[in-house]
C-alpha cells in the first residue's frame, strides 16, 4: 500500500460515524497535541473533541492528495461532501508519525460552493 493510500484510509476512518462516535477510536487517530479549525471557524483541541464529541455526519471524501512536508509529516488536501448537512468543504490535514504510527496532528475545513468536479479542475491549474 502506498503512503497516499495509507493516509487516505486513515482519513476515511476518521470520517466514519463508528469512529466519530467512539472516544477510544478517535483518541487513537488524533495526536495528543491535535487541534483543528472547524468549518465554523472555531478552533478545537483533542480534549474538546473527546469530551464534547465531533460532528456526526455522513461524509464522502474526494480528490485526496498528499504533499510531504518532512520525513515524518504530510499535508493532505481533499474535497468533502457532507450529505447530512447538505454542504461541501475543502479540507486539509497534517499527519505526523508519532510513537511509530501516523496520527492526525492538525485539521481544517472551509465551506465551499464549488462542486467536486470544479475543485478537481482547479487543482490541475
Amino acid at each position: 500500500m502506498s503512503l497516499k493510500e495509507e493516509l487516505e484510509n486513515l482519513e476515511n476512518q476518521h470520517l466514519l460515524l463508528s469512529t466519530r462516535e467512539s472516544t477510544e477510536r478517535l483518541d487513537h487517530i488524533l495526536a495528543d497535541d491535535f487541534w483543528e479549525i472547524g468549518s465554523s471557524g472555531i478552533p478545537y483541541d483533542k480534549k474538546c473533541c473527546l469530551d464534547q464529541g465531533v460532528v456526526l455526519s455522513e461524509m464522502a471524501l474526494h480528490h485526496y492528495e498528499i504533499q510531504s512536508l518532512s520525513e515524518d509529516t504530510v499535508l493532505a488536501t481533499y474535497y468533502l461532501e457532507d450529505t447530512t448537512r447538505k454542504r461541501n468543504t475543502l479540507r486539509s490535514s497534517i499527519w505526523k508519525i508519532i510513537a511509530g504510527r501516523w496520527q492526525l496532528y492538525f485539521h481544517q475545513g472551509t465551506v465551499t460552493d464549488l462542486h467536486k468536479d470544479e475543485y478537481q479542475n482547479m487543482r490541475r491549474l
Side-chain angles (χ1 to χ4, degrees), residues 26-74:
L26 204 53
D27 181 49
H28 183 75
I29 288 175
L30 303 180
D32 287 342
D33 51 356
F34 167 83
W35 71 287
E36 76 171 287
I37 301 171
S39 56
S40 63
I42 298 171
Y44 301 94
D45 62 8
K46 180 176 182 174
K47 182 178 179 344
C48 182
C49 291
L50 296 179
D51 292 350
Q52 297 178 14
V54 294
V55 172
L56 301 176
S57 292
E58 290 287 340
M59 297 180 268
L61 184 153
H62 302 277
H63 310 305
Y64 194 80
E65 297 295 335
I66 63 171
Q67 293 175 290
S68 178
L69 299 176
S70 71
E71 191 174 290
D72 63 353
T73 306
V74 172

Side-chain angles (χ1 to χ4, degrees), residues 1 3 6 11 24 36 45 58 77 88 103-104 125:
M1 176 182 306
L3 177 58
E6 180 181 358
E11 201 85 59
E24 182 179 299
E36 76 171 287
D45 62 8
E58 290 287 340
T77 55
N88 304 315
Q103 295 181 45
L104 187 54
L125 298 177

